[in-house]
């Protein structure tokens, strides 16, 4: 139901579309993409997705993460740096994220005591940032989000014959603090 409402808002009121990439994630070789849609003069809808597909066969280490996020932003005193109402300046917003992960790294060079965690997580909170115009089509968007994160995962041995058999089921972790950070290079599709 929420997807239908968001889709109808985008098709009827969106006046500018921007595509973006998170530069620090690109430097690590992690594919990511984001979109920002202008809803009103001060409100935008932002959506991001990224994937970390790493598998290190030697020690059977793994670092795989797939995450998606939605954010509604409110720009304060926005400047129109594009001709179709895409904004820059300070903003605050609220966001929600969901992702799944499979992470296991060798701890203290001891594979026998190392574990792998596989599960999912959700997060939500408030964000703030600033978007700098660096051209008629390009911008730099820096943001930070503070909020609550909840993770649920199963523990597995890192490698060996029992790698598919969980050691523990349904562990949970909670976190309050920084849960979102980005330095995005933004490209406006329309001028």
């Amino acid at each position: 139901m929420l997807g239908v409402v968001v889709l109808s808002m985008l098709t009827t009121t969106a006046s500018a579309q921007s595509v973006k990439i998170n530069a620090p994630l690109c430097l690590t070789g992690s594919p990511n993409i984001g979109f920002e849609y202008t809803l009103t003069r001060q409100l935008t809808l932002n959506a991001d997705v990224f994937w970390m597909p790493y598998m290190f066969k030697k020690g059977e280490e793994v670092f795989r993460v797939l995450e998606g996020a939605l954010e509604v932003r409110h720009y304060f005193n926005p400047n129109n740096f594009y001709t179709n109402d895409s904004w820059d300046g300070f903003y605050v917003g609220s966001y929600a994220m969901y992702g799944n992960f499979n992470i296991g790294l060798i701890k203290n060079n001891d594979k026998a005591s190392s574990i792998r965690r596989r599960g999912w997580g959700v997060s939500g909170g408030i964000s703030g940032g600033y978007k700098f115009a660096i051209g008629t089509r390009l911008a730099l968007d820096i943001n930070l989000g503070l909020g609550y994160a909840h993770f649920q995962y199963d523990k597995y041995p890192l490698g060996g014959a029992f790698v598919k058999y969980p050691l523990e089921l349904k562990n949970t972790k909670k976190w309050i603090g920084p849960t979102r950070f980005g330095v995005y290079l933004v490209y406006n599709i329309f001028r």
Side-chain angles (χ1 to χ4, degrees):
M1 182 66 176
L2 179 62
V4 172
V5 171
V6 169
L7 185 60
S8 67
M9 284 174 37
L10 290 177
T11 57
T12 59
T13 63
S15 61
Q17 290 82 28
S18 299
V19 65
K20 58 174 78 179
I21 57 169
N22 192 333
L25 286 176
C26 284
L27 293 175
T28 66
S30 302
N32 69 87
I33 193 163
F35 300 96
E36 188 170 3
Y37 297 95
T38 299
L39 301 174
T40 68
R41 184 176 187 276
Q42 292 182 291
L43 286 178
T44 64
L45 181 66
N46 187 65
D48 300 312
V49 65
F50 83 88
W51 179 42
M52 292 183 166
Y54 308 115
M55 177 83 169
F56 312 102
K57 285 289 188 185
K58 182 179 178 185
E60 296 185 36
E61 292 179 290
V62 63
F63 198 93
R64 292 186 174 165
V65 177
L66 178 62
E67 179 186 285
L70 275 176
E71 178 181 18
V72 176
R73 294 178 173 178
H74 179 289
Y75 283 85
F76 295 100
N77 229 0
N79 298 317
N80 182 350
F81 66 95
Y82 298 127
T83 59
N84 67 342
D85 299 335
S86 186
W87 311 107
D88 71 345
F90 285 105
Y91 61 85
V92 295
S94 61
Y95 67 92
M97 297 188 305
Y98 173 82
N100 59 37
F101 58 90
N102 187 0
I103 300 173
L105 301 172
I106 294 178
K107 183 177 169 183
N108 298 329
N109 288 329
D110 184 13
K111 187 175 172 183
S113 67
S114 299
I115 58 170
R116 178 173 58 96
R117 290 174 177 89
R118 182 177 177 192
W120 57 271
V122 294
S123 177
I126 58 171
S127 63
Y130 192 86
K131 191 190 294 181
F132 303 89
I134 54 177
T136 58
R137 287 190 182 258
L138 292 176
L140 187 65
D141 181 1
I142 300 171
N143 68 16
L144 175 68
L146 302 172
Y148 171 78
H150 175 87
F151 302 100
Q152 184 170 328
Y153 59 91
D154 300 332
K155 281 186 180 177
Y156 295 86
L158 188 57
F162 300 103
V163 72
K164 294 185 180 183
Y165 300 100
L167 298 170
E168 296 176 24
L169 294 173
K170 293 191 180 176
N171 286 309
T172 60
K173 282 236 191 244
K174 298 171 183 162
W175 167 263
I176 296 176
T179 57
R180 181 173 172 83
F181 174 72
V183 179
Y184 293 90
L185 184 60
V186 181
Y187 178 78
N188 188 31
I189 298 171
F190 304 107
R191 267 174 70 163

